[in-house]
Amino acid sequence: MSTELVQCPTCGVERDAADPPAVCPICADERQYVAPDGQRWIVPDRESPITLRELEPGLWGLEVTDGVGIGQLAKLIVTADGCVMYDVPAAVTPDAVEAVRALGPMRAIIPSHPHMFGLQSLWSAALDDAPVFVSEADAAWLGHRPSALVPWSGILNPIPGVTASQPGGHFPGSSVVHWEGSDGAGVLLAGDTIMVNPDRATVSFLRSYPNRLPLSADVVERIAAHVARYDFDRIYSNFSLRIDRDAAAAVQRSAQRHASWVRGEFDHLTGPG
């Protein structure tokens, strides 16, 4: 293929084209899956339409139509000090790049975990080599190292009012990003670390969402304790679902519910023993 990168069509993650493995390591892992028709490698998706839409003042989503990969809705925090991209689309087009550029300079690209690497090196290169911050704990999953790669751990403050940290869980380096919000009420971007449920009132915590692997009670309580440091009224996970009010309390209630179920406190609701 006449490109230095290829892309797995199942997870959408970029990889060096020189010697791609027989099977995508990210898809072969128990948190993901290999496509029923087997492994393929394709040239990076530069054609799928990408729509930039405002989710709330100062927060935008990048929605890919009919693209490859998992279908994440990448988020853009837009402030007077510049922009932060949280999670990365598995497609990139000139029109989408220009739309993002129009919002302001990109100060940081932060994938929440390896499933969300997408085409991060191509987005970085198209946005003046914006730094790509990958959790040190998850760097071994990189199939291609962006030229502007910055491994990180602990706390990251890419611009004023925005803080990234790593509660782990879904992956050891899984990160969340807290933003003060244009109204000061607080927004948590949680990726797959905390998944908003379809009821838009509760959240879930899983090692694998497609394969339904749970996390332990202790890990879920650790994640909940980690994000309790932040004040946030709203939470977004890595697709389109969000909780619009009292999200911090919803996370704590959901964590306690999860812990109670996996410890067996509700076994009496499941039928005769």
Side-chain angles (χ1 to χ4, degrees):
M1 296 178 181
S2 59
T3 177
E4 64 180 27
L5 293 180
V6 290
Q7 181 181 29
C8 173
T10 303
C11 67
V13 172
E14 64 186 19
R15 194 163 196 94
D16 290 329
D19 188 25
V23 179
C24 172
I26 288 177
C27 292
D29 178 71
E30 68 179 2
R31 283 161 286 204
Q32 183 57 11
Y33 56 88
V34 178
D37 58 351
Q39 181 65 50
R40 294 185 298 119
W41 297 102
I42 62 174
V43 297
D45 184 355
R46 299 179 184 271
E47 297 183 357
S48 294
I50 303 175
T51 301
L52 185 64
R53 59 186 176 92
E54 192 171 29
L55 306 175
E56 63 173 82
L59 184 66
W60 296 72
L62 279 166
E63 186 171 23
V64 181
T65 303
D66 298 326
V68 301
I70 296 171
Q72 60 264 29
L73 182 70
K75 312 298 192 301
L76 290 174
I77 299 171
V78 179
T79 78
D81 296 292
C83 304
V84 173
M85 178 184 288
Y86 180 70
D87 291 336
V88 187
V92 58
T93 66
D95 287 348
V97 169
E98 287 308 305
V100 170
R101 278 182 169 278
L103 295 175
M106 187 62 60
R107 304 303 187 193
I109 296 172
I110 308 173
S112 61
H113 66 287
H115 294 154
M116 299 293 106
F117 286 168
L119 295 178
Q120 58 188 9
S121 68
L122 297 183
W123 275 100
S124 170
L127 297 171
D128 304 318
D129 292 322
V132 180
F133 292 92
V134 171
S135 296
E136 286 184 352
D138 295 337
W141 291 99
L142 286 164
H144 174 76
R145 297 180 71 85
S147 60
L149 176 68
V150 182
W152 72 286
S153 60
I155 303 294
L156 177 68
N157 297 108
I159 57 175
V162 175
T163 302
S165 59
Q166 300 170 351
H170 183 54
F171 273 78
S174 284
S175 68
V176 298
V177 166
H178 179 264
W179 171 49
E180 293 176 351
S182 61
D183 60 356
V187 174
L188 190 71
L189 306 181
D192 276 5
T193 303
I194 303 170
M195 181 67 74
V196 177
N197 291 326
D199 63 10
R200 291 177 169 79
T202 63
V203 299
S204 295
F205 310 82
L206 293 177
R207 175 169 173 80
S208 170
Y209 290 90
N211 298 325
R212 313 299 195 269
L213 291 175
L215 293 171
S216 73
D218 286 348
V219 169
V220 169
E221 289 176 340
R222 185 192 77 206
I223 293 169
H226 179 104
V227 301
R229 70 185 66 184
Y230 298 123
D231 293 324
F232 57 97
D233 195 43
R234 302 177 294 283
I235 185 172
Y236 294 76
S237 48
N238 64 349
F239 298 99
S240 60
L241 292 175
R242 67 190 187 194
I243 296 175
D244 288 329
R245 180 173 296 181
D246 298 328
V251 169
Q252 299 303 318
R253 288 195 303 269
S254 298
Q256 187 54 56
R257 180 178 71 169
H258 178 112
S260 296
W261 269 104
V262 298
R263 287 187 176 128
E265 295 175 19
F266 296 135
D267 284 0
H268 63 284
L269 300 177
T270 66

